[in-house]
Amino acid sequence: MNLPMPLVLKMALVAVVIAAGVYDLRTRKIPNWLTLSGVVLGLGFNTLLLHSHGLALAMLGLGLSLLVYLPLYAVRGMGAGDVKLMAAIGSIAGPQSWLGIFLATAILGGVASVVLVLRRGRVHETMSNLATITGELMHARMPFEKDAGLDMHSGRALGLPHGAVIAAGTLVFLCLAGVA
């Protein structure tokens, strides 16, 4: 059943992602107190508004986000704060809206990444890195073990404040869904 997101959930979602985006742009970190607050808000408001069905939706959204983002964290392509932010978003938005937010974030992140690669003149290196990542993952090996530069924490990595991209993707999704 696809219910429209209640206004209080939209407001909580907007508040969490804007705060996370600002923190990420300023410090390149997303604070635990913010992501934990988002999860608590999502679980609490969904349960209060929709009772056991709301709790189930919040848990499914949280679980789906972890299913998608934890592997990215495991291969060191994503920070823990980004994973926790998406978990908070999932608990607030539920699985269906989270999937739309994820897709909007992926598209915006892809565009931002291409622009960053082009601006830094690192097209050849990026293509080589993608080949290494693909090859290593296909052989069930961690790419950063072959090349330390493929670890997001490496000084050689092209950093993109993904929390800010997640915030933008969330806001775009809400606008396109006609709910912002």
Side-chain angles (χ1 to χ4, degrees):
M1 177 165 46
N2 190 14
L3 298 172
M5 194 183 310
L7 180 61
V8 68
L9 291 175
K10 294 175 206 172
M11 291 171 36
L13 184 57
V14 168
V16 167
V17 299
I18 287 175
V22 169
Y23 267 97
D24 198 27
L25 286 171
R26 288 185 177 173
T27 67
R28 298 303 299 263
K29 294 188 182 297
I30 301 168
N32 287 333
W33 66 262
L34 179 59
T35 55
L36 180 59
S37 297
V39 169
V40 169
L41 286 171
L43 293 171
F45 282 149
N46 272 299
T47 302
L48 235 138
L49 297 168
L50 304 169
H51 309 289
S52 62
H53 180 70
L55 178 60
L57 286 174
M59 293 298 291
L60 285 170
L62 190 148
L64 178 60
S65 69
L66 293 176
L67 183 69
V68 172
Y69 267 68
L70 277 176
L72 297 171
Y73 174 73
V75 299
R76 297 189 185 166
M78 187 73 51
D82 303 321
V83 175
K84 292 180 276 187
L85 175 60
M86 277 304 229
I89 291 169
S91 74
I92 296 169
Q96 287 182 318
S97 291
W98 183 85
L99 187 57
I101 290 166
F102 168 70
L103 293 173
T105 298
I107 292 167
L108 288 175
V111 170
S113 296
V114 168
V115 169
L116 182 62
V117 166
L118 291 173
R119 287 192 70 208
R120 300 267 175 94
R122 292 186 45 182
V123 174
H124 183 267
E125 182 180 352
T126 299
M127 297 308 287
S128 175
N129 288 345
L130 287 172
T132 300
I133 291 167
T134 303
E136 293 302 296
L137 290 176
M138 287 181 68
H139 290 95
R141 296 185 298 245
M142 294 296 189
F144 60 85
E145 291 175 352
K146 180 171 185 168
D147 181 352
L150 297 176
D151 184 331
M152 67 162 286
H153 299 293
S154 164
R156 290 184 14 226
L158 278 179
L160 185 68
H162 193 60
V165 175
I166 292 170
T170 302
L171 297 175
V172 166
F173 170 79
L174 290 172
C175 287
L176 291 177
V179 294

